[in-house]
Amino acid sequence: MSERLTLSLDAMGGDHAPHMVVEGMKIARKRYPDVEYVLFGDEGRIAPLVPQDMRDRVSIRHTDRVISNEEKPSQAVRTGRQSSMGLAIKAVKDGEAAGVVSAGNTGALMAMAKLALRTLPGIDRPAIATLIPTIRGESVMLDLGANTEVQANNLVEFAIMGEVFSRCLLGHVQPSIGLLNIGSEDLKGTDALREAHQILRDHPLNMRFHGFVEGDDIGAGTVDVVVTDGFTGNVALKTAEGTAKLYTKFLKDAFGSSVLAQIGYLLAKGALAKVRQRTDPRRYNGAMLIGLNGICVKSHGGTDALGFANAIGVAVDLIKNRLNERIREECAHLAQSPTLSGPAESSSPSAASG
């Protein structure tokens, strides 16, 4: 990397912090050797974990305050400014860091980041976007829990942000976009879905709009970007995760059911290892709080060091590929359309709590 890049890390966020955070930072150094870090949290616990050969690229800012997983977003906003999460976000706001990564409370992170960083020009609501494994490779899905209720203009904004996210992180030249619905017919779905469908179909946004997609299209990789509201997206994601765990349990039980089955496991062990690697949730760890005026990446709270390193990688790649600048450009193009008005007033978004 040719220029200095600094990330702020919430060193106390996550089930296994701060050890997991520091170990993840050490793994990420192999891919991004020139990135510098500012760690926020309990210095007495963090400092002994930082290796000697990284201390010239790591600074530690002490704070005793930690946002718990049970803390409500409203409480975190009122009392959490001096917490490890709050100070890590503030470092981005103040220009000290180019992005922040936290494995802490999702709702608190969204609420505090939105208050501190504000939204990008042309974006009414931020969303949570992440990569998901599919038959064809990887796709982007958003929103995954930031907004339980949306209007058509929000879905259009999500489509724009998801399309840019796909280009930045996956290198897609012109990603295909799909709106998640209960059917592919134009007349199905809510008013907001049908209106967003018409806008994306008819508006010259230079996007490859596929149309409506259904739940089974997600895993099939029918489109590169799946757009939905936060309620539906979160349920779909958790259902997919639960199904994966269910089939993993079925396989373990089946291979342990008899001596012949155990022999079959030994013969299939290599192939199963490839499947496990392909579907390893740590590979897809790192959800972007997209639409904010700053890069903010949410790591899964229960991940390990490898997963957190991947979340750091998401942040670095999005910064290097100018995600927010490109979203601004697309929103400016959208705003020039005489057929679309500005963002409609809407009820306050409801952030996910975990």
Side-chain angles (χ1 to χ4, degrees):
M1 298 175 62
S2 58
E3 59 183 38
R4 179 175 176 270
L5 191 157
T6 301
L7 289 181
S8 63
L9 305 182
D10 172 12
M12 309 309 293
D15 298 345
H16 309 293
H19 183 270
M20 171 272 294
V21 173
V22 177
E23 289 299 312
M25 181 184 68
K26 289 162 63 176
I27 294 172
R29 177 180 56 166
K30 298 174 183 178
R31 183 178 175 190
Y32 306 104
D34 297 328
V35 174
E36 299 181 2
Y37 301 91
V38 185
L39 275 61
F40 294 87
D42 186 340
E43 185 172 11
R45 296 176 61 191
I46 299 168
L49 301 174
V50 178
Q52 187 67 39
D53 61 351
M54 285 193 70
R55 295 191 176 180
D56 61 332
R57 295 193 171 275
V58 175
S59 61
I60 302 172
R61 308 288 174 80
H62 177 76
T63 178
D64 293 323
R65 176 77 166 93
V66 178
I67 302 294
S68 70
N69 288 331
E70 294 75 29
E71 200 160 335
K72 293 182 179 180
S74 57
Q75 181 183 355
V77 167
R78 290 195 306 269
T79 65
R81 292 185 179 181
Q82 296 302 310
S83 66
S84 58
M85 181 185 291
L87 292 173
I89 294 170
K90 186 175 184 295
V92 178
K93 177 185 177 182
D94 294 344
E96 183 180 5
V100 56
V101 183
S102 172
N105 183 318
T106 304
L109 182 66
M110 174 59 86
M112 295 176 72
K114 185 176 181 181
L115 181 64
L117 303 177
R118 305 298 181 182
T119 56
L120 289 167
I123 297 299
D124 185 29
R125 296 186 185 181
I128 300 176
T130 194
L131 300 181
I132 54 174
T134 72
I135 293 174
R136 293 176 55 239
E138 294 173 334
S139 294
V140 175
M141 188 169 176
L142 75 166
D143 177 22
L144 298 178
N147 306 278
T148 57
E149 296 181 3
V150 298
Q151 297 185 10
N153 68 288
N154 302 129
L155 293 171
V156 173
E157 292 169 6
F158 295 170
I160 291 172
M161 295 190 293
E163 196 257 3
V164 177
F165 188 91
S166 179
R167 284 192 276 131
C168 287
L169 209 58
L170 297 177
H172 292 151
V173 177
Q174 193 175 28
S176 56
I177 314 294
L179 282 173
L180 187 61
N181 201 351
I182 58 173
S184 59
E185 297 84 357
D186 290 357
L187 296 178
K188 287 195 172 181
T190 62
D191 291 341
L193 273 170
R194 293 196 301 272
E195 184 181 347
H197 181 277
Q198 182 176 352
I199 294 170
L200 291 169
R201 183 190 61 195
D202 299 339
H203 191 274
L205 286 170
N206 197 32
M207 287 197 297
R208 189 154 60 97
F209 181 57
H210 174 87
F212 287 134
V213 294
E214 300 182 64
D216 57 349
D217 288 308
I218 298 174
T222 302
V223 292
D224 299 311
V225 180
V226 179
V227 176
T228 185
D229 63 86
F231 184 92
T232 306
N234 192 275
V235 170
L237 181 67
K238 297 295 175 60
T239 301
E241 291 175 347
T243 302
K245 292 177 182 178
L246 176 67
Y247 274 89
T248 299
K249 179 65 166 59
F250 284 168
L251 282 172
K252 287 182 178 179
D253 291 347
F255 279 124
S257 60
S258 67
V259 174
L260 286 177
Q262 291 174 8
I263 294 173
Y265 169 75
L266 293 175
L267 294 173
K269 191 174 182 180
L272 290 171
K274 291 181 180 179
V275 173
R276 187 162 51 246
Q277 182 181 17
R278 176 83 181 272
T279 58
D280 188 344
R282 298 176 301 177
R283 291 186 58 193
Y284 307 96
N285 187 48
M288 170 72 181
L289 274 59
I290 197 168
L292 296 174
N293 193 26
I295 298 298
C296 183
V297 172
K298 170 65 174 72
S299 167
H300 194 288
T303 195
D304 62 8
L306 179 59
F308 195 81
N310 285 331
I312 289 175
V314 169
V316 175
D317 287 343
L318 294 177
I319 293 166
K320 289 174 60 180
N321 286 289
R322 301 172 48 254
L323 172 80
N324 280 349
E325 289 85 347
R326 294 163 79 170
I327 291 176
R328 288 191 190 98
E329 293 168 2
E330 294 294 334
C331 287
H333 177 65
L334 178 67
Q336 293 172 1
S337 170
T339 62
L340 292 175
S341 60
E345 289 188 8
S346 51
S347 57
S348 298
S350 177
S353 60

